[in-house]
Amino acid sequence: MAAAEQRSPLEVLHRSVRVMPAYTNVVVRTRFTEQALTRSITRGVRQYVVVGAGLDSYALRRSDTSDVTVFEVDHTATQAFKRQRFVDLGIEAPGSLALLPADLAEERLTSVLGGSSFDATAPAFFAWLGVTMYLTREANLAALRAIAECASTGSELVFSYLDHAVFGGGRNAESEKAFEHGQSAVTSLGEPWVSGFDPETIGAELDELGFELLEDVSDVELLDRYDPDGRNGLLPSDVGRICHVRMR
């Protein structure tokens, strides 16, 4: 029997997703974000705000930061689904997790957080992952302003984005093919990629919003950092990027 035929369905699934750039993006951005968060917690930050949290599992996985409150902000339907999954799986949501349902297209983030135990006078760590590419440039800038409005001096933010150059074409054939494949997949779900940022100018744009750019790296650079020998067989996109900034 051929080796491929002897693999279990789970192994086949693992091998299949590892060569998907979107999967790699989730893996490296999560590690990057949570490493930065850990450093922030070590410095005394006790508030973690996940904007567009989806099914983020940090609050369930952490073991030694029970004094850190995790504020997850997302659509009402998404959070209702998450709460139901807790019930279905017999998971007790930790007391340090605050699920804040909101439509940020209609509500201000300051108002959403203001209705919780969030302390606007204390520094916080914000994460905004896997969202910017689905919004227009204007909506992204508005969201960054909203986060800046909530973030006291010393607060930090990590967010992911796509290099805007991919929307104009002109990249190598392999990159174009990968982008077109990804775009086709998300468009079929009714959520096409809409915009990105320019790595050459994003620092200046963030500076105008009151943020100091600490690091801006690509998925390729992060995979080289975390898995230099390629032992996990991950395939990164050359247009996925992540920013780490601090509020001045």
Side-chain angles (χ1 to χ4, degrees), residues 8-155:
S8 68
L10 185 58
E11 183 181 2
V12 172
L13 175 62
H14 283 171
R15 289 176 178 271
S16 298
V17 298
R18 284 170 188 267
V19 297
M20 297 171 60
Y23 177 81
T24 301
N25 174 261
V26 171
V27 171
V28 297
R29 80 191 188 200
T30 299
R31 180 165 178 179
F32 179 90
T33 301
E34 294 187 5
Q35 283 187 331
L37 171 62
T38 297
R39 293 193 296 270
S40 185
I41 291 173
T42 300
R43 291 192 295 271
V45 171
R46 291 295 179 267
Q47 301 183 114
Y48 179 33
V49 182
V50 190
V51 182
L55 298 179
D56 186 271
S57 61
Y58 174 79
L60 303 179
R61 290 182 286 107
R62 63 201 183 114
S63 59
D64 58 352
T65 55
S66 58
D67 59 336
V68 176
T69 302
V70 180
F71 301 89
E72 294 191 3
V73 183
D74 211 330
H75 286 287
T76 301
T78 300
Q79 294 208 331
F81 175 77
K82 189 168 190 174
R83 289 179 186 277
Q84 186 58 50
R85 290 304 293 158
F86 284 170
V87 173
D88 295 342
L89 298 173
I91 296 173
E92 182 177 353
S96 56
L97 172 62
L99 297 178
L100 307 179
D103 181 351
L104 294 180
E106 303 292 337
E107 303 174 68
R108 294 170 65 85
L109 183 59
T110 51
S111 298
V112 176
L113 291 175
S116 71
S117 63
F118 180 77
D119 183 358
T121 66
F125 190 98
F126 293 79
W128 187 37
L129 304 173
V131 178
T132 62
M133 59 286 299
Y134 299 105
L135 304 178
T136 64
R137 172 176 170 79
E138 293 73 20
N140 279 321
L141 291 175
L144 287 169
R145 292 190 192 97
I147 293 173
E149 188 178 6
C150 300
S152 63
T153 300
S155 295

